Amino acid sequence: MDAPTDAELDGVQEVKTYPDGTVVRVLCMRTNREAYPSGWAYKLHYGATEPNPPHTLNDGTIRRYDNSHEATKGHELHLAPDPDPEIIEFPGMGELWEQFWSEIPKAEFEVP
């Protein structure tokens, strides 16, 4: 399966909670704000509905890619149990989307 295009990912915002107590939250949005030099604001989150350190971070995160602080810190991977995020190279939104879904045990959300 090919990675979704930028046009397909722009505006994707979805949350799904699973019977096993996990949750996936995704947000992908193009932006021209200076805080996001890549042109994207995104969060790709896989976590638990109830935090369970050290299996999760204190906020329930198991794995999350985001660029909430892109202009100052860059693109980040938050991965339990380490509370300090890893700075990553941004491969593009489509490639990061595919990477995220290949790393978590849930089926990829369909995009329009």
Side-chain angles (χ1 to χ4, degrees):
M1 175 183 219
D2 292 332
T5 66
D6 286 355
E8 291 169 331
L9 289 172
D10 186 23
V12 170
Q13 184 172 354
E14 190 167 344
V15 176
K16 185 170 182 181
T17 303
Y18 298 87
D20 67 358
T22 60
V23 62
V24 173
R25 293 182 190 95
V26 295
L27 165 71
C28 303
M29 179 178 62
R30 286 184 183 173
T31 181
N32 58 8
R33 293 181 52 207
E34 289 182 19
Y36 301 98
S38 67
W40 287 96
Y42 66 87
K43 285 185 176 55
L44 305 173
H45 171 91
Y46 172 62
T49 55
E50 296 292 327
N52 184 19
H55 303 290
T56 71
L57 300 180
N58 288 337
D59 66 357
T61 297
I62 297 170
R63 174 179 295 274
R64 181 178 73 243
Y65 290 97
D66 71 52
N67 66 337
S68 297
H69 312 284
E70 181 181 347
T72 57
K73 294 183 182 178
H75 300 265
E76 297 177 323
L77 167 60
H78 303 260
L79 185 60
D82 189 350
D84 297 319
E86 176 185 340
I87 303 303
I88 64 162
E89 284 291 320
F90 180 62
M93 199 66 249
E95 289 180 45
L96 188 59
W97 175 271
E98 289 294 303
Q99 182 175 334
F100 171 73
W101 289 104
S102 74
E103 295 170 342
I104 68 167
K106 301 298 177 194
E108 183 176 335
F109 292 168
E110 290 187 31
V111 294

